[in-house]
Amino acid sequence: MAKISMMELLSLQQGMTEPQKAMFQNQLRQRLKNRGLTFILAFFTGGFDRIYLGQIGLGILKILTTGGLGIWWFIDLFTAMGRTDEYNRKLALEISQALNCRSN
């Protein structure tokens, strides 16, 4: 899965006023998760990558099973960046929807 594209961002901002677009971009910039940090957390910690992406229960479970008994850790190395992209995509959609609801 690729990073959130400029086309996706532009489509989410359709119909917004200029102040709403500025608010969308500001909120998104402040709350976006970093793909590299997620990978580093997945590599060096046993679950904090999941917690970083808001998956608290899975993160704690992974920590308690010592990184998912190694298998989970290995899989998460390959999926960390995609999970970050998906988190950021959902975040952008949520912010867009919240701003559009305010204008209606």
Side-chain angles (χ1 to χ4, degrees):
M1 195 170 294
K3 294 190 325 186
I4 189 166
S5 71
M6 185 59 73
M7 292 299 291
E8 287 176 291
L9 290 174
L10 290 173
S11 71
L12 289 172
Q13 296 176 65
Q14 272 185 327
M16 289 185 187
T17 63
E18 288 304 315
Q20 286 175 317
K21 287 179 184 179
M23 190 178 300
F24 171 82
Q25 293 166 3
N26 187 40
Q27 285 183 22
L28 188 60
R29 193 176 313 113
Q30 289 177 0
R31 297 171 53 196
L32 276 177
K33 300 297 183 183
N34 184 289
R35 299 171 91 222
L37 180 57
T38 304
F39 180 81
I40 289 169
L41 288 171
F43 188 82
F44 289 110
T45 67
F48 289 99
D49 57 310
R50 296 284 182 161
I51 293 170
Y52 176 65
L53 295 177
Q55 299 172 328
I56 309 299
L58 284 176
I60 291 170
L61 182 62
K62 189 175 168 187
I63 290 167
L64 293 176
T65 59
T66 317
L69 304 173
I71 297 167
W72 200 352
W73 171 84
F74 187 72
I75 292 169
D76 275 358
L77 289 180
F78 292 97
T79 63
M81 291 187 195
R83 285 184 289 112
T84 307
D85 294 340
E86 188 60 31
Y87 175 92
N88 289 336
R89 191 170 282 108
K90 286 179 184 177
L91 175 65
L93 182 61
E94 288 172 12
I95 294 170
S96 172
Q97 289 174 340
L99 288 172
N100 283 328
C101 285
R102 288 184 196 168
S103 66
N104 293 334

